[in-house]
Amino acid sequence: MNQLHASFMPLSRLEAAPRLATPARDGFSVLNPALEMLTDFLRVAPRTIRADADVNEAHLMMRHGGFRLLLVIDDQQCCIGVLAAREVIGGRRITLAQQQHGLSSDEVTVGMIMTPWQKLSAMPLEQLATLTIGDLLLSLESMTDQHLLVTERDQQGSLRIRGLVSAADIRRAVGRTESATPEVATANSFADTYRMMMGHDL
């Protein structure tokens, strides 16, 4: 019987506290294609939750995963709404749901406080592909949301969400970082990002 003989390289101890490797930001500009900011759901699985899940479950998902947006899906895996971190943390919608349904905060579900699909705005992928990052910010200068849904038609002609663009990702790309926890990142909308960058690159 053949035996596999492998030589193992010994591990080494760190000689000092090391720095961290980070992605190069050289050359980043608002003139770069807006597609660079797309979180593509063909490459990165979307973060989803069911409408009947309770708000505490959504809060835990966001807190431990660092997510600021959950897509709410039904039994057919269709997106029926979105849940932003500010709705979970701010509590206004939760309080309204409690009053309307006579529930405790632990009984409020995602479906009661989500933004339904009928009220969502989106940009077609083909339109995003024609824009620079600066163009995108200019077109979203009054948008108070933190995420832009990007749609396309599949091979059968049905509409689907291809991905999303996050205002926080744009801020990070230009070196304006903030904590990843949703609690401290509820005000970084596209409008905020636009104002932040006015007088700089735009």
Side-chain angles (χ1 to χ4, degrees):
M1 178 182 295
N2 293 330
Q3 293 183 348
L4 179 64
H5 297 280
S7 60
F8 295 97
M9 297 296 292
L11 300 178
S12 62
R13 298 231 178 235
L14 296 174
E15 298 175 358
R19 297 175 62 86
L20 297 178
T22 57
R25 301 193 186 278
D26 294 341
F28 179 85
S29 166
V30 291
L31 298 178
N32 287 23
L35 277 177
E36 291 183 4
M37 293 290 98
L38 176 68
T39 298
D40 190 344
F41 290 162
L42 292 184
R43 297 177 180 273
V44 180
R47 305 298 179 177
T48 62
I49 195 167
R50 301 292 293 269
D52 58 0
D54 63 66
V55 172
N56 290 331
E57 179 182 344
H59 191 188
L60 287 174
M61 287 181 64
M62 290 178 173
R63 183 176 181 83
H64 295 297
F67 312 134
R68 297 171 187 162
L69 187 78
L70 297 174
L71 303 180
V72 186
I73 57 172
D74 62 12
D75 292 335
Q76 287 72 45
Q77 300 296 302
C78 291
C79 180
I80 58 174
V82 301
L83 182 65
R86 64 183 178 187
E87 307 302 349
V88 176
I89 299 161
R92 184 179 63 86
R93 290 192 184 182
I94 295 177
T95 300
L96 288 175
Q98 288 179 254
Q99 295 172 347
Q100 291 173 354
H101 301 282
L103 302 174
S104 68
S105 59
D106 292 338
E107 297 174 303
V108 176
T109 65
V110 168
M112 295 175 185
I113 67 169
M114 70 179 186
T115 301
W117 67 266
Q118 296 94 332
K119 295 184 178 180
L120 296 176
S121 299
M123 178 178 289
L125 181 64
E126 58 267 27
Q127 180 182 348
L128 184 71
T130 67
L131 302 178
T132 65
I133 294 171
D135 294 333
L136 178 64
L137 287 175
L138 285 170
S139 65
L140 301 177
E141 64 176 298
S142 61
M143 185 175 179
T144 57
D145 292 332
Q146 301 171 43
H147 299 87
L148 172 68
L149 298 179
V150 178
T151 59
E152 69 173 359
R153 297 283 176 180
D154 62 18
Q155 294 180 345
Q156 289 72 42
S158 299
L159 189 69
R160 69 178 180 182
I161 299 175
R162 173 64 181 268
L164 57 83
V165 176
S166 165
D169 286 346
I170 296 177
R171 295 168 76 95
R172 278 192 292 270
V174 297
R176 304 299 180 88
T177 58
E178 71 269 342
S179 170
T181 56
E183 280 83 347
V184 297
T186 57
N188 296 324
S189 66
F190 283 102
D192 296 326
T193 303
Y194 172 81
R195 287 192 294 269
M196 178 200 76
M197 297 181 68
M198 280 295 293
H200 297 278
D201 294 309
L202 293 183

